Each structure stands twice: as structure tokens, then as C-alpha cells.
Amino acid sequence: PGVPRINKRGPAFPLDGYEFNVPEGHALFKHYLKVVPSSYQAGNGPLQSAYEFSTTHHHHVFRPGSRLAQPALYFMYDFHPIKIVHKFRRTPFLHFLVKLACLVGGLFVVSGM
């Protein structure tokens, strides 16, 4: 299942709730994170700054007893220079009525009435 990137309460973090366990031996974990600066504004509320990120991870488990295997954890960051601004605003009821009238008018034109 996919993780929603944003919602009305702010960002959702893709690594929340994940556990990376190795039953035996050593492992090498690499996490690639793409970080984007973001801002959120709900209605006319204050602008809240945050960071969105997406992640990909790879791991390699070494055999038990391998002399060359060292446990390791790497985080590789890729920062984006562009900021994303999310504004959550409710559409006025008048806009809904205008769109509804356009839809009904379009149906009359297409049906030839």
C-alpha cells in the first residue's frame, strides 16, 4: 500500500513504522532520501514550513562468519532547490453552481435540444 505524501494535517513520513532487522550475521543498509522543502497552509491559517521526502532502500545480508562483512547504515540525501507550497482552500458554493450550469448547458448542446 502506498503512503500518502500529504494530507490536511501536514506531511506523512514514509519511514514511520518500518523496522529493518537481520536475524543473523551482518547487513549493509542504504537509504536514499529525496528531500523537498515544502510549506502548508490550511485556509487562511499561518504558513507552516516543513520538508517532504521520499525514500528508497537497499540492503545486503552477509553470511555469518564472513571476515569482510561489517555492519553499516548509510543515508544518502538529495536536496531539491525548488520549494513546493500546498494551499488547502475550500471552493466557494457559487463556483460549484457555475460548474454545474456549464455541465448542464454542455449536455443540452451535445444532445441537440
Side-chain angles (χ1 to χ4, degrees):
V3 176
R5 290 180 54 173
I6 59 165
N7 55 33
K8 290 187 178 182
R9 292 179 299 272
F13 300 107
L15 286 177
D16 283 352
Y18 275 92
E19 292 183 11
F20 300 93
N21 297 317
V22 179
E24 60 182 53
H26 298 297
L28 168 74
F29 289 98
K30 290 184 180 180
H31 295 278
Y32 300 94
L33 294 108
K34 294 182 180 180
V35 182
V36 180
S38 308
S39 294
Y40 298 89
Q41 185 177 22
N44 293 329
L47 194 65
Q48 298 176 350
S49 295
Y51 289 94
E52 285 185 52
F53 68 94
S54 63
T55 179
T56 307
H57 56 273
H58 299 286
H59 70 279
H60 178 72
V61 179
F62 298 105
R63 291 178 298 172
S66 175
R67 286 188 233 170
L68 300 175
Q70 292 293 321
L73 174 63
Y74 294 103
F75 291 96
M76 277 67 127
Y77 292 96
D78 180 18
F79 291 97
H80 291 269
I82 299 173
K83 185 175 186 174
I84 298 174
V85 178
H86 300 280
K87 293 184 179 185
F88 299 101
R89 293 200 174 127
R90 184 177 294 248
T91 306
F93 186 68
L94 184 60
H95 286 225
F96 170 72
L97 290 178
V98 169
K99 288 181 182 181
L100 184 64
C102 290
L103 178 69
V104 170
L107 287 174
F108 276 115
V109 169
V110 171
S111 65
M113 294 183 154

